[in-house]
Amino acid sequence: PGADLFREEAHNAGHVVVFAIVGFLLRPLLSARFSTAVAIATTLLVATILGALTEAAQSLLGGDPSFGDVLRDLWGTIVGVTASLGSRSAAARPSRALQALAAFGLLLGLLPLGRTMLAYHERDARLPVVLDANVAASLAFARVGSDVREPSVLHVAPVPARWASKDSELALRIRLDRGDWPGLSIGEPAPDWHGHRALALDLVNPQPRAMSINLRVDDEQSGNDESRRHDEDLKIAARSRQIVEVPLDR
């Protein structure tokens, strides 16, 4: 379990779309009373204030405010303003150019949602492979770190030559000396595991001493209740690469 990645990205895309509509409708209304330059500047200012107030209200209601959402609101407004300018242009060529620019801006704003949809497709298509650092789409559901979980793509590194099975093989580099709870978390694995008997972990320990890591498996009901989740310590020999199998019926 964990954050629903599709819902999160759909929410982000919604900011772009809604504020594109705001920009498209508000700029012409202001242009009826002010110059085009003043109308554009006022539209962007109003949208920024509205976006900030939305995030402040979300914080008061117990949500998580996001500066990124304000930036998405502003981006959507720019797209909407550009589209509105294209729709009023007297010359056909500038009109088409502005409309094309607005369409491109909207596409950029929706691109993360499209990449997320591709990640879900890749996740299901590649089962039983849950995570492969050599496949970018499979990294979408993984986070690395301790108190702050970072996108796993930031932690992709070459497998040390001594243990690499092929040239340019990639893996996730997990530092276990950072923070109170360092590690790798994978959310939203493929839901149907019928026909599979074990979870196999391909691990490299380049250190001169053996180490123990904890495998934790949660479901939608377990939360932080230790009695309702699976916890298991795994041993990894010093300076080794090994595949550790954990039976699914445990």
Side-chain angles (χ1 to χ4, degrees):
D4 185 327
L5 186 60
F6 178 79
R7 184 173 56 215
E8 178 183 339
E9 290 301 343
H11 169 85
N12 293 341
H15 277 271
V16 176
V17 172
V18 168
F19 276 80
I21 296 172
V22 170
F24 185 81
L25 297 177
L26 182 58
R27 199 282 311 165
L29 291 176
L30 293 174
S31 288
R33 300 191 58 177
F34 306 102
S35 68
T36 299
V38 171
I40 292 174
T42 304
T43 299
L44 296 178
L45 178 61
V46 168
T48 301
I49 294 173
L50 181 59
L53 289 176
T54 301
E55 294 306 307
Q58 184 173 313
S59 176
L60 293 175
L61 294 173
D64 295 322
S66 168
F67 180 67
D69 283 346
V70 178
L71 294 180
R72 294 180 191 96
D73 297 339
L74 182 59
W75 181 260
T77 306
I78 293 172
V79 168
V81 167
T82 304
S84 73
L85 292 172
S87 67
R88 67 176 284 276
S89 177
R93 183 171 298 174
S95 175
R96 288 196 295 268
L98 287 170
Q99 289 172 0
L101 185 61
F104 180 69
L106 182 61
L107 180 63
L108 286 180
L110 299 179
L111 184 60
L113 178 59
R115 290 165 56 183
T116 297
M117 295 173 68
L118 175 63
Y120 276 95
H121 171 75
E122 286 292 319
R123 179 200 70 177
D124 295 337
R126 292 183 59 82
L127 194 70
V129 177
V130 177
L131 178 64
D132 184 350
N134 298 277
V135 180
S138 78
L139 297 173
F141 301 97
R143 296 290 184 270
V144 174
S146 179
D147 301 324
V148 177
R149 296 289 184 179
E150 299 174 338
S152 58
V153 67
L154 301 177
H155 297 266
V156 174
V159 176
R162 175 176 175 179
W163 297 286
S165 61
K166 61 181 179 181
D167 292 339
S168 303
E169 185 181 16
L170 300 176
L172 287 178
R173 186 170 184 261
I174 313 298
R175 294 289 300 267
L176 299 180
D177 58 350
R178 301 288 177 87
D180 295 329
W181 302 102
L184 166 69
S185 61
I186 303 174
E188 297 185 77
D192 187 2
W193 286 57
H194 288 92
H196 302 289
R197 65 175 182 81
L199 174 66
L201 306 174
D202 189 354
L203 305 170
V204 176
N205 176 15
Q207 303 300 318
R209 61 185 181 279
M211 67 169 54
S212 175
I213 62 173
N214 178 261
L215 172 67
R216 169 175 167 175
V217 182
D218 296 272
D219 59 26
E220 292 181 348
Q221 287 77 39
S222 63
N224 281 322
D225 187 346
E226 295 183 5
S227 66
R228 303 183 66 181
R229 70 178 191 230
H230 179 83
D231 281 285
E232 181 172 348
D233 290 329
L234 306 175
K235 304 293 184 181
I236 314 171
R239 299 192 186 280
S240 70
R241 176 174 183 172
Q242 60 189 92
I243 294 179
V244 179
E245 290 194 358
V246 180
L248 295 179
D249 57 3
R250 286 188 181 176

